[in-house]
Amino acid sequence: MFPALTTEPKQPLPDPYEDFMRRHLQYYGYFRVQSGGQASSTFQQRDQQSSCHGEKEHGACKGLREEKLEPPRALVPSSPAVRSRQLLHDGDKVDRVAPRLRKPRELFPIFSSWGPAQAPRWPVECEVLQDKVRHIEWIPPEPEYFYQPTGKEKVPKIVGEERGTVVYQLQSVPTEDACFTSSRVGGKRGAVQQLAVSLCGPEDDTLLFESRFESGNLQKAVRVDTYVYELTLRPDLYTDRHTQWFYFRVQNTRRGVPYRFTIVNLSKPRSLYAAGLRPLLYSQRDASRHGVGWRREGSDIRYFRRGAGGEGRPRFALTWTARFPHDRDTCFLAHGYPYTYSDLQRYLRAVARDPARARVCRLRALCRSLAGNPVYLLTVTNPAARPRRAAAKRAVVLSARVHPGESGGSWVMRGFLDFILGGSPDAQLLRDLFVFKVVPMLNPDGVIVGNHRCSLAGRDLNRHYRTLLKDSFPCVWYTRNMIQRLLEEREVLLYCDFHGHSRKNNVFLYGCSSNDPRHWLHERVFPLMLSKNAPDKFSFHSCNFKVQKSREGTGRVVMWRMGIRNSYTLESTFGGSTLGSRRDTHLTTEDLKALGHLFCDTLLDFCDPDQTKFTQCLAELTELVNQEIHKKLNELGQDMNVEESWRDIHLSDIESSTSGSDSSLSDGLPAHLLTKAEEVNQKMKMPEKKKKKPLQTRQQRNEQYRSERLTKELQATGEGPGKGLDSSPGGDQRGEGQDKVRAHVATTLQKQPAFPKHPESSRSSAGTQENPGLRQGQNSGAPDPRAPESHSNASREQVPKLQRSPRRGGSLVAYPALHVCTYPSP
C-alpha cells in the first residue's frame, strides 16, 4: 500500500465531501506539506482562485494571487520519493502536467515492472514443495522409434501393500466425497511432511518418490522387490476416476539396473502403450552436464486389464522396465512432455518484455479460475491505420488445455504463438488480416494440481460450454461469453481447441458437418489442407465430422451452433506418427511446435484470394465422398448412380462415430453443489400431482368427435348401448348394441382419407437433421408407399437414401477410413 505522504489536518474541513476527497487524494499522493506546515492542494487553490474572480479582492485572496503557486510534488515525475504508482503523466514538463489514472490492476495481474506474477494457487488440502521444478528443452538428434513388442512381455502379479512395503503415500488427498472450498499460494499451511522413507545408509538402494509439485501426480508407491515397484496414481481431485496422466520424481537411483514399474489403477481400456508408446525419462545430471532433456525410455512394455475396481469399473495396468543413466541421480518419469502453469507464465512474461512482440500482443486476464488463478487472454493483431480497416478484420479463436493432462496441446499452442508473434512476412500478413483471440490455458487449476481431465469442480469442462453456472465453471463460461461478444463485432472465421489423444497415433481434427447445400464439404477443406502441409504428421482419414449427442456440450459443437462454421478440435497424439518419413517414430516437442507453424500456413492457404487450392481440395473431397458412398452401397448390394443426389445425403451416414476419442461422462452439477442440490430436493419434495393429459392432435379430436356423434345417433335410433340397457335387462342385448356401435365406428373411420406426410416434413433443424436411410433387405426399386404419386416417381426410385444412426441404442457401423490423395511432390 502507499505510505502516508503528509500529516493529517488538525481540523476537519467544514464540507464533509471536501474532507473526504482531501483524505482520499492524500492517500494517492496529491498533497504536500508547505513551509508553513499547512497542506495545500491544487483543487483547493483552484477553488479559492475561482471564488475571488469577479469580486472585490480582499487581503487573503490578494495574498494568494501574489504568491507564486508551485505544482504539488506528488505530481512531479522527477520526485521518486513521493511519486504515485496510480497516476500516469503524459509529459515531463512540470508546468503542464496532465495526470491520468492507471488502468485497474485486475486487468493486468501480469508481467510488468510490479514484480513477479501471482504464484499458482493450490487447494488448501494439498501439500506443496517449495522447490520449483524446471526442465530444459531438447531435441533428440535421432528419431525415437516405437517399442516393438516381442510377445514375451510378462504380466506381473499385483501384490499390493499387504505383501510389499509402502515407500511413498500422500496423506492429505481430497476424496470424491469432498468438494473444493478454498485455495492459497503454497497450498496447505505448515511445514511439508517427509513422505518418502528414510534411507538406512549409503548402501540402501530404495527409490525416493515425490510428486508434490506442479502437474505432479502420484499417490502411492509400494516396493515389492529390490527393483520392483507398484505405483498408484491419484485420481482427479474431488473424483474417483480419470487416472491416466502421470508425472513424478525418483531419487537415489542405480545406474544400469533394470527397474520394474507397474501402474496399477489406469482407467482406459485401450492405450497407445499397447501400440509401441514409451514413457518419458528426464535426468537432472544429464541436463546439467550434457544438455540432454526428455527422452523415451522403456522396454518390456505391457498394457493389460487387471480386474474390476470400484463400482464394478474395470481397471487396467501398465508395466515397463526402465534403466537410469547415473548413480544417485534425480530423475523424472512422465506420460507426456510436461507444460505447467508456471511455464506459461514465464513465456508470457518474456512476450510482455519484448517490445516488438508486446506491440502486436495485448495481454489480459479473461477471468479467474475456481482457485483464483488468472486465465490469460491474448489478442494478437497488427495496429490498423484506420478504424474501418480494424473493424473489417475477421477473427480466429484458439484455446488449449481444457483437459489438463493433455500437455501436447500446450506445445502446439507454443509453436503457434512463436510463429504469429514473429517477424516473418507470413506472420505480418496474418496479423494484418485477422484478430487472434487466444486462451493458452483454459484449466489452470487442473494443470497445477496434476489432474488428467477435470477442474476443481470435479467435472470435465469440455462438457459444460453450455453451462449457466458462471461461478462453478468460470473458465468456459467467460470463454463462451467472450466469443459471443466477438461474434457481435466481427465474423469469426475459425475456432479450434487444442487437445491431446492417448489412444490414436498421428494428429487429426474433429469438426462438424454443415447442412447448408451451399457450403457442402467446406468444413473439411481446412483439415485436408493441413494434411497436405503436414503429410508426415497429420492424418486426414482419422478426422471425423459427426456430431454426437454426448458431444453437445463440447467447445467445437457449441461454437458451431453459435454460428462459427469452421469449428474444430485438434487432437495431437501422445504417441507418434505412422505416416511418411516419420513412420513409427515418437513426436517430440519440436514436432508439436512445428505443427503450430503449419497451422498458420494452412490458414493462409485457406484464406488465399486465389481460390485454386480451395477449389482443388473441394473437388477432391467430392470425389472422395462419392467413392465412399459407392463403396457403402456395394456392401449393401444396392450400387446405383447417385451423381444427381449426393448433396442430399447426410455425411454422418457414411461416417463412424468418434467413440475412439477420449470421452467423458462427467456431465452434471459440480461436486460442491451436489450436496446442496440434494438438500433443496428434500425441502421441495411435494406430493406428486396427477399428470395432465397430453394435448390431442386434430386427427384424434376428429375421431373422438365422430365416435361420440355416431354413439348419439345409434342411441337415438334405439341401437345404442344406453337404449339397450333401458329396453332389455339382459346382458345379451346390451352386448349386441355395443358391438354394433364398434363395427359402425370402425367402418366409418376406415373410410376417412389418410393425410400423407411430406417427404421433407421429417427433417429436423440444422445440426439435428435426419434423412431417410439405407434399408438392408429392401428392394431398391420398390417405390416408397408413403410418397405421393407423381410422374417423377420413376426417377426417385433409383435414388438411394441413407439413414443416420439412431441417437440412442443400436449399434454404430464402423466404416472404412477415407483414402486421401496428396499434392504431387515437386
Side-chain angles (χ1 to χ4, degrees):
M1 304 302 291
F2 300 111
L5 300 179
T6 184
T7 58
E8 297 288 341
K10 296 181 179 180
Q11 297 294 334
L13 296 177
D15 187 2
Y17 176 77
E18 184 73 18
D19 182 60
F20 166 76
M21 289 302 298
R22 180 187 186 89
R23 295 176 182 274
H24 179 71
L25 295 177
Q26 181 186 18
Y27 176 80
Y28 289 103
Y30 261 84
F31 290 94
R32 67 180 180 86
V33 179
Q34 294 181 348
S35 58
Q38 184 178 0
S40 63
S41 71
T42 56
F43 297 100
Q44 187 177 5
Q45 293 166 358
R46 187 179 303 169
D47 293 340
Q48 291 174 355
Q49 289 180 353
S50 61
S51 64
C52 296
H53 181 71
E55 299 180 359
K56 185 176 180 180
E57 296 184 11
H58 50 80
C61 290
K62 184 182 296 184
L64 182 61
R65 294 178 66 89
E66 290 176 355
E67 180 183 1
K68 184 178 180 180
L69 297 177
E70 297 181 358
R73 294 182 181 177
L75 299 181
V76 181
S78 60
S79 179
V82 294
R83 181 183 300 169
S84 170
R85 291 181 291 178
Q86 191 71 11
L87 295 175
L88 298 178
H89 306 278
D90 293 331
D92 295 335
K93 295 183 179 180
V94 177
D95 55 345
R96 298 183 63 182
V97 177
R100 55 188 174 87
L101 290 177
R102 189 187 299 271
K103 291 184 179 180
R105 268 192 174 187
E106 181 64 23
L107 297 179
F108 300 89
I110 39 181
F111 324 133
S112 68
S113 59
W114 300 339
Q118 173 188 301
R121 298 182 64 90
W122 295 70
V124 293
E125 302 95 338
C126 297
E127 288 187 344
V128 185
L129 297 179
Q130 299 299 322
D131 300 335
K132 302 298 181 182
V133 177
R134 295 187 62 176
H135 303 298
I136 64 171
E137 296 183 24
W138 177 68
I139 305 173
E142 300 292 336
E144 298 178 308
Y145 287 92
F146 292 165
Y147 171 72
Q148 299 298 327
T150 61
K152 299 180 180 180
E153 292 82 8
K154 297 181 179 180
V155 176
K157 183 179 180 181
I158 306 301
V159 174
E161 57 182 290
E162 292 80 7
R163 298 177 57 185
T165 303
V166 177
V167 295
Y168 177 83
Q169 184 170 8
L170 289 178
Q171 301 296 333
S172 56
V173 180
T175 62
E176 67 274 13
D177 299 329
C179 63
F180 172 76
T181 55
S182 60
S183 65
R184 66 183 296 269
V185 174
K188 189 176 182 179
R189 297 181 182 273
V192 178
Q193 299 180 3
Q194 178 67 30
L195 299 184
V197 296
S198 300
L199 298 178
C200 300
E203 301 301 326
D204 192 344
D205 55 1
T206 304
L207 288 180
L208 305 179
F209 292 84
E210 187 56 79
S211 66
R212 290 172 294 175
F213 46 82
E214 265 193 89
S215 298
N217 187 345
L218 180 66
Q219 181 169 335
K220 183 171 62 175
V222 177
R223 189 182 189 186
V224 177
D225 202 348
T226 306
Y227 302 115
V228 180
Y229 293 85
E230 292 179 359
L231 310 177
T232 303
L233 302 183
R234 191 212 68 218
D236 285 4
L237 291 188
Y238 313 110
T239 72
D240 60 347
R241 58 185 66 192
H242 305 302
T243 51
Q244 189 70 27
W245 166 262
F246 63 87
Y247 174 37
F248 55 89
R249 185 186 74 190
V250 293
Q251 292 177 314
N252 196 36
T253 61
R254 294 297 183 266
R255 179 178 180 273
V257 174
Y259 286 89
R260 190 71 177 176
F261 298 105
T262 303
I263 300 176
V264 299
N265 65 330
L266 296 176
S267 58
K268 292 188 179 298
R270 293 188 295 112
S271 174
L272 285 173
Y273 288 109
L277 173 64
R278 293 185 177 186
L280 284 163
L281 173 67
Y282 183 94
S283 167
Q284 282 193 351
R285 188 169 298 180
D286 278 347
S288 60
R289 295 181 180 180
H290 310 292
V292 177
W294 288 101
R295 58 174 180 250
R296 299 289 174 176
E297 175 67 32
S299 60
D300 298 330
I301 302 173
R302 182 73 180 268
Y303 193 88
F304 60 96
R305 179 170 177 168
R306 57 171 298 258
E311 300 180 0
R313 293 193 300 266
R315 291 296 182 186
F316 301 86
L318 167 67
T319 182
W320 78 99
T321 299
R323 297 176 185 269
F324 298 108
H326 302 285
D327 288 329
R328 295 178 177 83
D329 191 9
T330 298
C331 297
F332 294 84
L333 295 169
H335 177 53
Y337 297 102
Y339 194 94
T340 64
Y341 185 65
S342 295
D343 292 335
L344 174 66
Q345 287 184 320
R346 282 190 290 268
Y347 180 79
L348 296 181
R349 175 181 288 276
V351 170
R353 289 179 173 178
D354 185 355
R357 291 190 290 180
R359 178 176 172 272
V360 299
C361 178
R362 185 177 62 185
L363 200 55
R364 295 290 186 272
L366 175 67
C367 64
R368 290 187 179 272
S369 64
L370 205 61
N373 293 296
V375 179
Y376 300 115
L377 171 66
L378 285 70
T379 303
V380 181
T381 188
N382 280 340
R386 298 178 182 178
R388 289 185 178 180
R389 291 186 179 180
K393 290 183 179 182
R394 292 183 290 179
V396 174
V397 182
L398 303 176
S399 60
R401 295 301 285 276
V402 68
H403 292 152
E406 298 170 0
S407 59
S410 284
W411 290 105
V412 178
M413 178 64 73
R414 168 77 174 275
F416 169 81
L417 291 176
D418 287 342
F419 183 89
I420 202 64
L421 296 176
S424 65
D426 288 345
Q428 293 280 357
L429 180 58
L430 283 172
R431 295 196 298 264
D432 289 336
L433 293 175
F434 299 106
V435 175
F436 293 91
K437 294 287 186 178
V438 182
V439 185
M441 192 169 285
L442 267 169
N443 190 353
D445 296 346
V447 174
I448 291 170
V449 301
N451 281 1
H452 172 64
R453 198 167 186 88
C454 297
S455 69
L456 294 184
R459 295 293 179 267
D460 183 354
L461 292 184
N462 200 36
R463 298 296 182 269
H464 289 85
Y465 273 89
R466 297 182 297 177
T467 185
L468 300 178
L469 302 175
K470 177 175 66 173
D471 295 334
S472 299
F473 307 105
C475 306
V476 294
W477 190 94
Y478 278 97
T479 300
R480 185 193 64 197
N481 188 51
M482 178 267 293
I483 296 175
Q484 285 178 340
R485 290 186 281 108
L486 188 63
L487 284 168
E488 297 172 359
E489 299 174 2
R490 62 185 78 243
E491 176 191 354
V492 178
L493 175 70
L494 183 141
Y495 165 86
C496 189
D497 191 19
F498 296 162
H499 285 244
H501 210 286
S502 63
R503 290 188 282 180
K504 281 185 177 182
N505 280 312
N506 305 313
V507 182
F508 49 93
L509 284 171
Y510 290 140
C512 304
S513 295
S514 174
N515 297 317
D516 191 348
R518 298 172 300 175
H519 304 289
W520 198 77
L521 295 177
H522 283 200
E523 71 282 347
R524 304 182 181 221
V525 174
F526 184 85
L528 183 58
M529 286 183 171
L530 187 54
S531 70
K532 297 176 184 297
N533 288 333
D536 58 346
K537 301 180 185 69
F538 192 92
S539 172
F540 181 78
H541 70 267
S542 295
C543 298
N544 198 291
F545 303 88
K546 190 177 185 117
V547 178
Q548 296 176 284
K549 188 173 181 60
S550 61
R551 306 295 191 274
E552 292 288 336
T554 59
R556 68 176 171 97
V557 177
V558 171
M559 304 312 165
W560 177 62
R561 302 245 188 245
M562 288 167 55
I564 304 176
R565 186 180 303 115
N566 302 296
S567 182
Y568 305 106
T569 297
L570 187 142
E571 299 279 356
S572 56
T573 179
F574 279 92
S577 172
T578 60
L579 306 171
S581 61
R582 295 300 309 273
R583 185 177 183 86
D584 296 337
T585 60
H586 292 88
L587 294 183
T588 64
T589 56
E590 193 66 21
D591 293 325
L592 296 174
K593 289 192 291 184
L595 191 66
H597 302 173
L598 296 172
F599 190 93
C600 295
D601 290 340
T602 307
L603 192 58
L604 282 175
D605 294 338
F606 187 68
C607 302
D608 193 345
D610 184 4
Q611 293 292 297
T612 303
K613 291 183 179 180
F614 189 95
T615 305
Q616 178 185 351
C617 289
L618 199 59
E620 187 176 334
L621 287 169
T622 303
E623 180 64 23
L624 196 63
V625 171
N626 277 332
Q627 293 176 5
E628 196 65 22
I629 293 175
H630 279 291
K631 186 175 181 180
K632 182 59 184 174
L633 292 174
N634 283 330
E635 293 176 0
L636 300 178
Q638 297 180 357
D639 190 18
M640 53 192 62
N641 185 17
V642 294
E643 298 296 335
E644 301 295 332
S645 61
W646 55 266
R647 288 182 180 272
D648 297 330
I649 296 175
H650 202 283
L651 297 178
S652 62
D653 297 321
I654 62 173
E655 269 191 323
S656 61
S657 67
T658 58
S659 59
S661 65
D662 291 347
S663 59
S664 174
L665 301 176
S666 58
D667 284 336
L669 289 173
H672 64 280
L673 293 182
L674 290 177
T675 306
K676 294 183 179 180
E678 294 178 359
E679 295 176 357
V680 172
N681 291 336
Q682 292 295 334
K683 292 180 180 179
M684 299 183 63
K685 194 172 182 180
M686 301 291 292
E688 296 183 359
K689 297 181 180 180
K690 294 183 178 179
K691 295 183 179 179
K692 295 183 179 180
K693 293 183 178 180
L695 296 176
Q696 294 181 336
T697 62
R698 180 180 297 178
Q699 183 178 1
Q700 291 174 340
R701 293 197 301 269
N702 291 341
E703 293 175 358
Q704 183 179 1
Y705 172 75
R706 288 194 296 269
S707 176
E708 293 177 354
R709 183 178 178 181
L710 291 173
T711 303
K712 291 180 181 179
E713 291 178 357
L714 293 175
Q715 289 178 355
T717 58
E719 297 178 359
K723 197 73 175 178
L725 288 172
D726 295 339
S727 61
S728 176
D732 296 337
Q733 294 181 0
R734 179 174 56 189
E736 292 176 0
Q738 292 177 352
D739 293 338
K740 291 180 180 180
V741 173
R742 294 191 188 98
H744 191 48
V745 171
T747 305
T748 306
L749 294 179
Q750 289 177 358
K751 295 179 181 180
Q752 300 298 326
F755 295 94
K757 295 183 180 179
H758 193 274
E760 296 183 359
S761 62
S762 61
R763 294 184 180 179
S764 306
S765 58
T768 57
Q769 182 177 359
E770 297 184 2
N771 296 325
L774 287 168
R775 305 183 185 91
Q776 299 188 17
Q778 180 180 345
N779 186 7
S780 60
D784 190 347
R786 298 176 299 174
E789 296 182 0
S790 172
H791 65 279
S792 60
N793 278 350
S795 61
R796 292 184 180 179
E797 292 171 4
Q798 304 300 325
V799 180
K801 298 180 180 180
L802 296 178
Q803 183 176 5
R804 298 181 64 185
S805 300
R807 292 186 177 180
R808 297 181 182 177
S811 60
L812 297 175
V813 181
Y815 298 103
L818 306 183
H819 174 71
V820 183
C821 300
T822 58
Y823 289 140
S825 58

